[in-house]
Amino acid sequence: MPKSFSYKTIFVGLALIIVLGMVVNISLGSVHIPFQEVLKILTGQEASKHTWAHIIIQYRLPKAITAILTGFGLSVSGLLMQTLFRNPLAGPFVLGISSGAGLGVALLVMGGSLLGVGIFNSSFSLAIAASLGSFIVLLAILLVARNIRDTMAILIIGLMFGSLTAAVVNILSYFASMEKLQQYVFWNLGSLGNLSWPQVALFVSIIFIGLLCTLFSVKGLNALLLGEQYAISMGVSVKKLRYIIMIATSLLAGSITAFVGPIAFIGLAVPHITRMLLKSSNHFILIPATMLIGGIVMLFCDTVAQLPGSQLTLPINAITSIIGAPMVIWLLLRKRKILL
Amino acid sequence: MTFVSKTKLNTFDFMKNIKATFLSVSIALSLLFLTVSCSEKTKKEVTPAVSQTIEVTYAKGFTVENKDTYTLITVTKPWPNADRTFTYALIPKGTPTPTGEFDAVVQTPVENLVVTSTTHIPSLEALAVENTLVGFPDTQYVSSPKTRARIDNGLVKELGINESINTETVIDLDPDVVIGFSINNQNKTYATLQKTGIPVVYNGDWAEETPLGKAEWIKFFAPFFNKEKEADSIFSHIVTEYNNAKQLAAASNTKPTVVSGAMYRDVWYLPGGRSWMAQFLADANTQYLWSDNNDTGSLSLNFETVYDKAINADFWLAPGQFTAYSQLLDESASYKNFKAFKNKNIYTFSNTKGATGGLLYYELAPSRPDLVLKDLIYFTHPNVLTNYTPQFFKPLE
Amino acid sequence: MSTTTTYTLEANALSIGYTHKNEITTIAENLSFQLQKGELIGLVGANGMGKSTLLKTLCGMIPSLGGVVTFNGKQLKNYTEQNLAKELSIVLTGAIPPSNLTVSEIIALGRQPYTNWIGSLSKQDKAKVIEVIDLLKLSSLKHKKSYELSDGQLQKVLLGRALAQDTSVIVLDEPTTHLDIYHKAYILKLLKEVAHTTQKTILFSTHEIDLAIQLCDQMMILTKDNFTVDQPCNLISKGSFNDLFPKDLIHFDQTTGSFRVHK
């Protein structure tokens, strides 16, 4: 493509911003740690206070990585959904895929006590339960939506599935014990912190597999931009493509929902922001750009949520919406056209 | 929630969110017995010529006056920041209703009643009137032994979930009075009950901010059963015990530092510096690390902040729902760096459960502050109370 | 049927229709024809006679109820999706979903059957795209976004995409709807030129019978009981167009080759 040079510049720029954003994110927090100390700790030198080293290495660094992974995964899964359903309003949250993950977690956390079975609540089983939950909801949506051409109907079906899962969760929470309910409620608030390094490693590998699946769908996704029939006529096996996208989305959205909790806005909005900034619909460009911008937005939201200097932390879920929603509205007002 | 789903499409999720917020609030309530800051209500000026006031020293939320023909209970603080007081007239059976505006008129002695919080039950048992209890919401987790036995024998009707009591069953029971509690003035269930003529009386023990204040609410229950004298002697005993323990602790020459609460995700929830828990910690002659804080409720602080401040705390008391060191590690590996963790100086009330798994602390602690204080002293000043068995707190497993 | 010439597209005793919950609705039966390379073929018929169904069956989008479709001597059912994409390309009626795709990106998508797993364009692919852009004189538009194009321009671009796919057969479903009379003529004339210069078989369905008569090498007429394929002049002399529509309102005027309203 003739524009590839300028895209290269954009990617280098985005990569620099994400590195910069990560350094800023790690340097700021409730506890004031001088920048030189942060650098010392990051480069493996002895810090003047050993709690500082722990805060940086065991808390802020995994949190920053989690933020980036969350941004990567949610925005890419949003992009996949929008192209697959050819619907600019699609996203893991709108389609009930996040609720499906929530149901998986709810069943594991609260259902266990209901059935009188103690299930080991490791982070691994949470991730599997959440991914399975989102996979099942996505499968159900695809099955129901198979014969429906109307994109609004698909959205409504997604919302209905979201409501259904929410209803099941409500019933579960009605019968769950206080401690279990509490565990679920806190999970539902969402948070990027408190992932241990082994959990981060697991998170990284699941996101990596999800993104790898995405890579294999790039070609088909571009064909899908013209519609399903064109895609088939160009030799794309749409069925296979659907399964790859489904697996990728459930891995990405599911694991994120498991490790971080339900995070709004990112999945819906970042793909739009990316399209408007890059003025491209080519997934070869869009996917990496969406990933990077998603990572940057999450880092920024987390930095704000930490309220540097104060002792408090705001829920990340609220921040993503507060920062993100006006951004999308502003972009839409300028462009007046929603594209895929 | 995405902005689209919240504002336009998915009102259901929005409702869910409200519920989640409400749940987390009520969880925080039961967890820390938080008492939100509120404007102090001055007690009503009373003219001694017409009535005799029962002495209420520590509790700020109610007064009891003996009028000529009836007893007047005034609840000044049914919930934090209440904008009005509630007056209840207690009249002996067979006497006419006195003139005046009352929120409820109850005939005494009450022969059957419904209470709504597990914290009400120990007062009934202490006054030996537990056999008047005919209905209770969520009977599953009641631990007090006598009431437990009555529930198991089917003598106490299950009334469903606390936030939405099964109105029909209550009307069918037709109790002399319902002792309710509410977090605001919006309780529709109670309004329905009142319409059918069942008196509903608000109990504000949970909004009380001091250990002895909470316990003094036994004097609120007493007039319903004409047991004022018993209540007075029970409470005086608790005050004596409490103050004795406090003095013993004060004599100790150590003042260990204490951290409390626990993290959920990366937010550490811990009691405010003016909270119920913080006052216990102060009376136990310990240095609660957030004692300079002015909050009566709970604090939700960033992990970093707590880590930085509490890493060297001597004791860690009441770490949320955690019952074992391994559970703490499962939640966050950072816990193992705390001095209290390394020295195995973490104590919890979550290991002490009643027959059906309800936590004894939530039910009994508000009415027995003397026992709570002794528990805390027992662990933080090991040489002070030698002949004592802790009632609520145990070391983490 | 000839044994020496290989027809690019061939149908033999083809039955078309729909199967819905074990209920078979046959729309047309016993359709047979042979199409050669370099031909422009117009398919006409009244609404509901099965033009779309026929085209969809030929493209393998819906299964046939009987008979055989053959591309370059190989039966349709023996093609994989991937291989069929090298023999047959399509242009559907109507717009594509709104996107940021540029004209050259859309045309380049036509190269998908030939590109690697991630879809990167080789030198040959790029050359083909440039060739198509030059052929359709699209170079002034090539950086335009799809949503910025007029209906006529978009139709040209979608034809370009099909051409880039470099198949022996191109099927277009009503390529002239939504266009004004000038652009209708323009697109059909373009199809004829392309068919002749690139030696591809181009089959399209249309309602522009008078234009088709003037431009097509062959025409297919699909009526309720009849299916005829022949050169337009032969069809006129045979009177085949007379049966196309009910006769209460319009009639076919053989001298002008167009329909006239009863006065």
Side-chain angles (χ1 to χ4, degrees):
Chain A
M1 292 294 113
K3 273 192 173 175
S4 61
F5 176 73
S6 61
Y7 285 137
K8 248 177 218 163
T9 334
I10 289 172
F11 280 123
V12 172
L14 288 176
L16 280 176
I17 294 174
I18 208 165
V19 171
L20 200 76
M22 195 165 162
V23 173
V24 171
N25 181 276
I26 291 172
S27 312
L28 295 174
S30 299
V31 173
H32 175 72
I33 303 175
F35 190 63
Q36 279 99 334
E37 296 285 336
V38 174
L39 288 183
K40 264 191 194 170
I41 294 162
L42 286 178
T43 50
Q45 298 171 55
E46 196 75 18
S48 16
K49 228 176 131 184
H50 81 276
T51 53
W52 286 353
H54 185 90
I55 286 171
I56 296 285
I57 300 295
Q58 300 297 331
Y59 180 66
R60 289 189 190 173
L61 196 56
K63 181 163 64 62
I65 293 172
T66 307
I68 291 173
L69 290 174
T70 306
F72 278 11
L74 281 180
S75 43
V76 167
S77 64
L79 178 64
L80 292 178
M81 289 298 95
Q82 287 169 9
T83 306
L84 178 63
F85 289 105
R86 282 172 299 286
N87 192 320
L89 277 177
F93 224 92
V94 180
L95 287 174
I97 294 156
S98 299
S99 328
L103 178 62
V105 172
L107 279 172
L108 187 74
V109 172
M110 301 191 291
S113 71
L114 198 67
L115 299 167
V117 196
I119 303 171
F120 184 52
N121 287 345
S122 73
S123 48
F124 191 65
S125 52
L126 273 182
I128 288 178
S131 296
L132 266 180
S134 43
F135 186 83
I136 288 167
V137 168
L138 195 49
L139 189 72
I141 292 172
L142 276 172
L143 282 178
V144 177
R146 202 171 43 175
N147 298 318
I148 296 175
R149 289 270 167 269
D150 186 356
T151 48
M152 276 318 277
I154 292 171
L155 276 193
I156 293 171
I157 289 166
L159 288 176
M160 291 304 108
F161 274 111
S163 302
L164 265 178
T165 51
V168 176
V169 169
N170 273 354
I171 292 173
L172 279 174
S173 50
Y174 200 78
F175 291 108
S177 72
M178 205 63 176
E179 293 80 41
K180 296 287 181 189
L181 182 59
Q182 190 181 317
Q183 201 181 341
Y184 181 75
V185 168
F186 280 110
W187 171 83
N188 208 29
L189 291 176
S191 127
L192 296 168
N194 202 26
L195 256 64
S196 65
W197 277 110
Q199 284 172 323
V200 170
L202 179 65
F203 196 21
V204 168
S205 23
I206 296 174
I207 296 289
F208 180 76
I209 296 169
L211 292 176
L212 205 66
C213 289
T214 309
L215 205 58
F216 277 98
S217 62
V218 167
K219 186 177 171 180
L221 284 170
N222 279 337
L224 265 188
L225 282 175
L226 297 181
E228 210 160 282
Q229 284 182 325
Y230 276 116
I232 294 171
S233 84
M234 288 187 274
V236 174
S237 169
V238 172
K239 235 185 218 166
K240 215 170 90 188
L241 181 67
R242 271 205 198 117
Y243 281 117
I244 295 176
I245 293 176
M246 265 170 67
I247 292 169
T249 311
S250 349
L251 284 175
L252 294 173
S255 64
I256 288 165
T257 315
F259 283 113
V260 179
I263 301 282
F265 161 76
I266 300 289
L268 173 72
V270 170
H272 288 299
I273 295 171
T274 312
R275 281 191 208 98
M276 289 173 192
L277 288 180
L278 270 73
K279 298 184 181 62
S280 173
S281 287
N282 185 351
H283 289 79
F284 199 62
I285 311 263
L286 265 189
I287 288 177
T290 305
M291 257 172 63
L292 288 172
I293 292 177
I296 291 166
V297 171
M298 276 310 288
L299 274 176
F300 179 70
C301 288
D302 179 58
T303 311
V304 174
Q306 296 300 316
L307 294 174
S310 91
Q311 300 197 334
L312 309 173
T313 305
L314 295 176
I316 184 71
N317 208 344
I319 300 301
T320 54
S321 299
I322 288 172
I323 292 178
M327 211 146 105
V328 175
I329 292 169
W330 178 72
L331 280 169
L332 281 178
L333 284 176
R334 283 189 58 213
K335 297 290 289 186
R336 288 162 197 272
K337 198 161 177 82
I338 310 172
L339 301 169
L340 281 178
Chain B
M1 215 94 347
T2 63
F3 70 100
V4 174
S5 66
K6 193 159 186 173
T7 55
K8 271 196 202 153
L9 303 166
N10 204 342
T11 46
F12 192 91
D13 270 348
F14 181 61
M15 291 307 293
K16 197 183 73 186
N17 239 19
I18 289 180
K19 198 191 167 194
T21 315
F22 175 71
L23 279 174
S24 57
V25 166
S26 54
I27 285 164
L29 278 174
S30 59
L31 233 185
L32 301 161
F33 287 121
L34 69 84
T35 44
V36 186
S37 65
C38 90
S39 54
E40 293 287 308
K41 294 269 174 190
T42 46
K43 281 184 207 168
K44 275 194 172 174
E45 288 302 323
V46 172
T47 32
V50 278
S51 69
Q52 185 202 343
T53 307
I54 301 258
E55 197 188 342
V56 177
T57 319
Y58 300 92
K60 309 282 186 206
F62 75 101
T63 59
V64 181
E65 297 160 63
N66 283 328
K67 305 274 185 183
D68 309 337
T69 56
Y70 66 100
T71 305
L72 179 70
I73 297 183
T74 308
V75 175
T76 52
K77 192 175 160 190
W79 47 81
N81 301 322
D83 56 1
R84 56 165 290 205
T85 58
F86 288 79
T87 53
Y88 305 114
L90 276 55
I91 57 168
K93 273 200 178 112
T95 56
T97 309
T99 50
E101 289 276 316
F102 304 107
D103 289 288
V105 177
V106 182
Q107 299 199 327
T108 57
V110 163
E111 280 162 15
N112 52 63
L113 88 165
V114 165
V115 300
T116 49
S117 164
T118 50
T119 58
H120 302 161
I121 293 173
S123 295
L124 298 183
E125 293 205 358
L127 295 171
V129 291
E130 69 279 350
N131 54 353
T132 56
L133 182 67
V134 290
F136 186 80
D138 211 1
T139 52
Q140 193 190 343
Y141 293 115
V142 172
S143 306
S144 298
K146 289 177 194 165
T147 306
R148 182 75 251 160
R150 282 175 49 78
I151 291 167
D152 293 342
N153 289 330
L155 297 169
V156 180
K157 263 259 182 336
E158 165 68 52
L159 300 180
I161 300 277
N162 199 16
E163 282 72 34
S164 55
I165 289 172
N166 189 333
T167 334
E168 292 189 12
T169 318
V170 178
I171 294 169
D172 189 47
L173 279 175
D174 195 24
D176 293 339
V177 64
V178 171
I179 309 282
F181 76 95
S182 180
I183 55 166
N184 56 34
N185 206 1
Q186 307 294 320
N187 198 314
K188 287 205 178 91
T189 321
Y190 293 152
T192 315
L193 291 178
Q194 277 163 325
K195 270 181 216 144
T196 64
I198 297 172
V200 176
V201 173
Y202 283 118
N203 176 310
D205 61 356
W206 64 277
E208 208 62 58
E209 290 169 11
T210 59
L212 290 173
K214 267 190 209 293
E216 200 167 14
W217 277 76
I218 193 170
K219 293 182 181 172
F220 164 90
F221 283 97
F224 291 92
F225 308 98
N226 300 334
K227 296 240 177 185
E228 287 91 335
K229 275 203 189 91
E230 288 87 337
D232 203 50
S233 83
I234 291 167
F235 184 66
S236 317
H237 175 72
I238 288 171
V239 173
T240 314
E241 287 291 304
Y242 190 93
N243 288 333
N244 286 348
K246 185 177 166 182
Q247 276 167 18
L248 284 174
S252 168
N253 47 14
T254 60
K255 192 167 184 167
T257 49
V258 173
V259 62
S260 182
M263 251 196 306
Y264 296 92
R265 317 296 298 217
D266 58 344
V267 177
W268 196 305
Y269 296 85
L270 63 181
R274 294 285 170 82
S275 67
W276 192 62
M277 186 66 190
Q279 291 175 56
F280 275 122
L281 292 172
D283 288 345
N285 192 21
T286 65
Q287 172 65 46
Y288 179 44
L289 289 168
W290 278 266
S291 59
D292 55 352
N293 168 280
N294 279 326
D295 239 303
T296 53
S298 76
L299 308 171
S300 24
L301 298 182
N302 187 292
F303 160 75
E304 298 182 359
T305 314
V306 180
Y307 187 86
D308 202 41
K309 192 162 181 170
I311 184 93
N312 289 320
D314 298 314
F315 289 93
W316 181 355
L317 301 171
Q321 95 284 26
F322 294 103
T323 57
Y325 286 95
S326 59
Q327 277 180 5
L328 280 173
L329 279 186
D330 276 351
E331 183 67 22
S332 169
S334 298
Y335 282 141
K336 68 169 183 290
N337 296 331
F338 283 81
K339 183 180 162 194
F341 189 101
K342 287 181 195 158
N343 297 341
K344 298 264 189 278
N345 270 330
I346 309 181
Y347 300 93
T348 179
F349 55 74
S350 294
N351 271 341
T352 312
K353 292 179 177 171
T356 52
L359 289 186
L360 212 58
Y361 184 79
Y362 290 153
E363 186 167 324
L364 189 58
S367 50
R368 293 307 301 272
D370 53 329
L371 298 179
V372 177
L373 184 64
K374 284 181 190 173
D375 276 18
L376 297 179
I377 294 169
Y378 180 82
F379 290 115
T380 54
H381 300 282
N383 302 320
V384 172
L385 295 170
T386 42
N387 236 341
Y388 178 75
T389 313
Q391 299 294 301
F392 305 111
F393 282 86
K394 281 180 188 165
L396 228 57
E397 282 160 11
Chain C
M1 214 192 295
S2 164
T3 45
T4 49
T5 328
T6 311
Y7 297 108
T8 47
L9 171 58
E10 202 176 337
N12 217 331
L14 187 66
S15 291
I16 58 168
Y18 290 97
T19 314
H20 183 68
K21 286 181 183 164
N22 297 328
E23 205 174 296
I24 296 165
T25 315
T26 308
I27 293 176
E29 292 180 287
N30 205 22
L31 312 178
S32 298
F33 58 83
Q34 296 89 29
L35 306 179
Q36 287 176 333
K37 62 179 183 180
E39 275 188 337
L40 177 69
I41 306 99
L43 167 62
V44 297
N47 285 329
M49 287 303 115
K51 291 194 302 291
S52 277
T53 314
L54 175 57
L55 293 186
K56 281 182 185 165
T57 312
L58 291 175
C59 299
M61 288 181 206
I62 56 175
S64 69
L65 301 179
V68 175
V69 177
T70 311
F71 285 95
N72 290 317
K74 185 174 167 187
Q75 283 195 23
L76 174 62
K77 63 177 185 197
N78 294 333
Y79 278 98
T80 61
E81 281 163 336
Q82 191 83 51
N83 286 335
L84 183 64
K86 292 176 183 171
E87 298 298 341
L88 168 73
S89 56
I90 59 169
V91 177
L92 298 168
T93 184
I96 53 172
S99 74
N100 265 321
L101 286 178
T102 62
V103 166
S104 53
E105 279 174 327
I106 292 175
I107 293 172
L109 279 177
R111 297 307 296 167
Q112 280 228 345
Y114 309 96
T115 54
N116 62 3
W117 65 278
I118 204 160
S120 56
L121 299 173
S122 68
K123 223 175 238 170
Q124 289 95 313
D125 293 327
K126 284 176 184 164
K128 189 77 201 172
V129 171
I130 291 168
E131 185 192 318
V132 169
I133 288 174
D134 289 344
L135 179 70
L136 299 184
K137 302 188 178 61
L138 285 170
S139 54
S140 62
L141 296 177
K142 66 180 176 188
H143 294 309
K144 283 241 188 222
K145 307 287 184 192
S146 66
Y147 59 86
E148 296 171 322
L149 301 175
S150 70
D151 287 340
Q153 288 170 331
L154 181 65
Q155 206 54 250
K156 232 165 99 173
V157 170
L158 291 174
L159 174 66
R161 190 210 60 80
L163 286 172
Q165 204 172 329
D166 203 12
T167 55
S168 50
V169 180
I170 301 175
V171 170
L172 303 93
D173 189 10
E174 300 195 10
T176 54
T177 31
H178 308 307
L179 300 185
D180 58 39
I181 181 75
Y182 174 82
H183 285 97
K184 281 178 190 197
Y186 179 86
I187 288 289
L188 294 186
K189 191 147 184 296
L190 182 65
L191 288 179
K192 187 185 179 92
E193 284 169 19
V194 167
H196 292 177
T197 51
T198 62
Q199 284 297 295
K200 293 181 190 308
T201 305
I202 299 183
L203 169 62
F204 69 100
S205 63
T206 185
H207 288 295
E208 313 310 323
I209 296 165
D210 40 354
L211 287 176
I213 287 172
Q214 297 172 55
L215 291 165
C216 289
D217 299 308
Q218 300 235 52
M219 284 182 75
M220 295 181 182
I221 302 179
L222 192 57
T223 62
K224 203 164 187 297
D225 343 271
N226 218 338
F227 178 69
T228 330
V229 187
D230 209 336
Q231 292 176 5
C233 49
N234 295 341
L235 290 169
I236 293 173
S237 52
K238 275 197 279 182
S240 301
F241 291 107
N242 295 336
D243 303 327
L244 205 48
F245 299 109
K247 295 185 179 64
D248 54 342
L249 204 61
I250 51 171
H251 70 275
F252 187 75
D253 180 17
Q254 297 209 349
T255 51
T256 56
S258 63
F259 282 89
R260 289 275 179 259
V261 182
H262 296 318
K263 296 249 168 76

